[in-house]
Amino acid sequence: MTDVNFSDSNSLTAPGSPAEDRMPIDLIELLFFAYRDFTSDPDTILAEFGFGRAHHRVLHFVSRNPGLRVTDLLGILRITKQSLARVLKQLIDEGYILQEPGPVDRRERLLTTTALGQDLAERLTRLQARRIQRALAAMPEGSHEIARQFLYHMIDPDQRGDVARLIEHS
């Protein structure tokens, strides 16, 4: 395992500021680069289908939550109906997602992945899981929980409960 040491110069401090006011520029930049690489593997596969990251996010959450209401998906993704409509239409038209009316309220639209959509979602998830597993394997024991807590605390406090409920079956 290669150790990487970042110097303290990666955190910016205004002259005269206490040490706790340092901006964690190194972590900000690492998040940018980690996200770039985390999404690059799926991006390559998605491009083969004419899909982008929005398609990936929709496939991911619908595959993980069969019968997900469109309203709930909008809340998870924090996007507009208009933004979702284009992506969802393409996924439905190309046979990756099935949309059905709710059993009680026929105005509700419930989403599930088709076998084709489930296969693609799992293929993309496996790529990202391998990247995470490689990173965690290079870290000390217990790092999974530390990484999980760090990411959880990056989420807006008023959204943490909703996210925890959504991912509790993970």
Side-chain angles (χ1 to χ4, degrees), residues 25-111:
I25 298 300
D26 57 338
L27 293 180
I28 292 168
E29 290 181 352
L30 284 169
L31 277 170
F32 281 128
F33 289 118
Y35 180 74
R36 176 198 67 190
D37 293 348
F38 179 72
T39 56
S40 69
D41 301 323
D43 284 350
T44 302
I45 291 170
L46 290 162
E48 295 171 16
F49 297 91
F51 295 160
R53 290 184 187 160
H55 297 84
H56 183 190
R57 286 188 294 269
V58 169
L59 272 172
H60 176 82
F61 286 107
V62 172
S63 74
R64 299 278 301 143
N65 302 280
L68 184 65
R69 295 181 317 161
V70 170
T71 306
D72 294 332
L73 182 59
L74 288 168
I76 290 167
L77 299 177
R78 288 188 172 180
I79 59 174
T80 64
K81 284 182 187 178
Q82 186 178 7
S83 297
L84 178 59
R86 179 189 59 80
V87 169
L88 195 52
K89 181 178 179 350
Q90 187 177 8
L91 288 168
I92 291 168
D93 289 350
E94 295 188 26
Y96 292 89
I97 288 188
L98 183 63
Q99 177 178 270
E100 299 177 322
V104 175
D105 184 347
R106 308 286 293 163
R107 294 170 299 175
E108 274 187 334
R109 294 182 296 150
L110 306 179
L111 305 172

